[in-house]
Amino acid sequence: MKENVRRIRIPSTLITSILWILLGVILLIYPGESLDTLARVLGVIAIAFGAIEAIISLMSGGAAGYFGVGIGVVLIILGLVIVIRPYILVSLLPVIAGIIIGLHGLASLIDSFQLIGKDKYWWVGLLIGIVTIGFGVLLLFRAHDAAKAVARIVGILMVISSVSHLWVLYRRGKVRRMREQEQNAIEVEARVIDE
C-alpha cells in the first residue's frame, strides 16, 4: 500500500511542480495582464494540489499524513474562495503566495533532512528550503507593495520553489534506487552462498 502511495505521490508532485513553474513564468512575463484570470488559474491549481495532497496523505496515514490532509483542506478552501472571488486574490496574492511558498520550502526542508547520511548533497535541498522559506516570509511582510512587482516576485519564487522541490524529489529517488540495488545485491549474494 505504501509503495503504491509513493508511486502516486511522485508523479502528482511532479505534475503540480511543473504547473507551478508554468504559472510562475506566466506571472513573470505578464504580471499586469489578466490578473483575474491568473487568480482563477491559481485557485484551480490550489484546489487540485490540495485534493491530491489530502487524498494521498490520507492513504499514507500517520501524523505526517494528517498534517498533509490539513494542508490539503486549507488549499482546497483557499482555491474555492479564489475561483469564486478572484479580486480577493489580486489583493491577497502576496500573502497567499508567501504561505504556499513557505510551506513548499518547509516540505523541501523536511525532505532534505531525510537524506542526511544517505546522500552527500542533502544540504543543497536544506539551503534551498531555507531560502524558499525566507522568501515566503518576506512576501508576507511585503504584501502592501504594488501588485505588478509582487506578481513578478511571486513568479520567480514559484519557479525557484518548484525547481528546488523537484531537485529534492530527484535526489530521494536516486537514494531509493541505490538502496534497492544494494538490497538486490545482498539477496543475490545470499543465494550464491546458500547454493
Side-chain angles (χ1 to χ4, degrees):
M1 178 75 167
K2 285 192 177 179
E3 185 63 33
N4 291 337
V5 169
R6 188 186 298 142
R7 284 185 190 144
I8 294 168
R9 187 176 191 86
I10 290 173
S12 68
T13 305
L14 179 68
I15 290 165
T16 52
S17 292
I18 289 168
L19 288 174
W20 279 108
I21 290 170
L22 290 174
L23 187 59
V25 170
I26 290 169
L27 284 172
L28 257 173
I29 298 170
Y30 306 107
E33 290 81 5
S34 305
L35 281 176
D36 282 355
T37 304
L38 289 174
R40 284 193 170 102
V41 169
L42 185 61
V44 170
I45 291 172
I47 292 167
F49 182 70
I52 291 167
E53 184 68 27
I55 291 167
I56 292 172
S57 296
L58 193 62
M59 289 170 63
S60 64
Y66 294 125
F67 178 72
V69 170
I71 290 175
V73 169
V74 168
L75 285 175
I76 290 169
I77 292 168
L78 282 174
L80 286 170
V81 170
I82 292 164
V83 168
I84 295 167
R85 300 189 188 273
Y87 62 86
I88 293 173
L89 176 64
V90 174
S91 60
L92 293 178
L93 181 64
V95 175
I96 293 169
I99 292 169
I100 292 171
I101 288 168
L103 288 173
H104 216 202
L106 183 63
S108 292
L109 202 68
I110 291 167
D111 286 343
S112 66
F113 279 129
Q114 293 175 354
L115 292 173
I116 294 175
K118 300 170 190 163
D119 181 41
K120 63 180 177 179
Y121 296 110
W122 67 269
W123 55 271
V124 175
L126 178 75
L127 288 178
I128 294 172
I130 290 170
V131 169
T132 305
I133 291 169
F135 279 129
V137 171
L138 179 67
L139 270 178
L140 285 172
F141 288 106
R142 302 295 294 177
H144 62 280
D145 288 341
K148 224 180 213 188
V150 171
R152 280 202 170 105
I153 292 168
V154 169
I156 292 167
L157 294 178
M158 289 172 82
V159 171
I160 291 171
S161 171
S162 296
V163 167
S164 73
H165 198 64
L166 287 172
W167 189 88
V168 171
L169 281 176
Y170 165 74
R171 296 303 302 180
R172 283 179 63 191
K174 191 169 183 179
V175 167
R176 190 180 72 245
R177 285 189 299 275
M178 286 171 53
R179 272 200 211 146
E180 287 171 358
Q181 287 174 350
E182 288 171 4
Q183 185 64 32
N184 289 340
I186 290 169
E187 288 175 7
V188 168
E189 285 176 16
R191 282 189 208 127
V192 169
I193 290 169
D194 288 344
E195 290 172 0

